Amino acid sequence: MHGAPRLTFPCASEYLWHAREKAYQDHRRKVQSAQPLVDTRAPLTFHHLHLKLKRLKLEEERLSVIERDNRLLLEKVASVMRTRGQTDSKNNSKHRSRK
């Protein structure tokens, strides 16, 4: 049977044991004072990728068409209001019988 593991250092001299112990203590101190290195900031945004010029141009053209249609409709409504909305409802066609 094996006995309990021995907690001995493979170093033969006291000087090597102290050097190894000092290195281990330096390591422990560095681990304790370590700062997190994870970057939690938002990624950089490039405005030339977010600014879609083609989409802006199409939107501007669409809005100009809407403005033109609105202006024409307003002119028609104003014309109806000026003429008091009179319509020609006379039927000039003659009824023909099919014989």
Side-chain angles (χ1 to χ4, degrees):
M1 284 277 169
H2 296 287
R6 295 182 184 170
L7 299 177
T8 59
F9 289 98
C11 304
S13 70
E14 189 75 16
Y15 173 76
L16 290 177
W17 182 82
H18 283 295
R20 197 171 281 258
E21 184 67 23
K22 182 178 182 288
Y24 178 72
Q25 293 302 325
D26 287 343
H27 166 71
R28 293 297 302 162
R29 183 177 38 81
K30 288 178 184 177
V31 168
Q32 290 296 325
S33 65
Q35 297 293 320
L37 297 177
V38 176
D39 184 14
T40 58
R41 294 178 292 165
L44 296 175
T45 57
F46 300 108
H47 295 291
H48 69 281
L49 296 177
H50 289 285
L51 183 63
K52 309 251 188 271
L53 296 177
K54 181 71 172 182
R55 184 177 294 166
L56 289 175
K57 181 182 175 187
L58 291 175
E59 181 72 14
E60 184 178 326
E61 289 175 0
R62 187 181 72 84
L63 290 176
S64 67
V65 168
I66 291 172
E67 288 292 326
R68 180 178 53 85
D69 291 344
N70 285 344
R71 185 177 42 80
L72 291 174
L73 186 60
L74 181 63
E75 288 174 5
K76 289 179 183 179
V77 169
S79 172
V80 168
M81 294 299 289
R82 272 196 313 270
T83 61
R84 298 185 182 264
Q86 298 171 353
T87 58
D88 183 15
S89 61
K90 294 180 183 176
N91 188 357
N92 293 332
S93 64
K94 295 182 180 171
H95 179 66
R96 297 182 185 171
S97 62
R98 297 184 185 190
K99 286 189 179 178

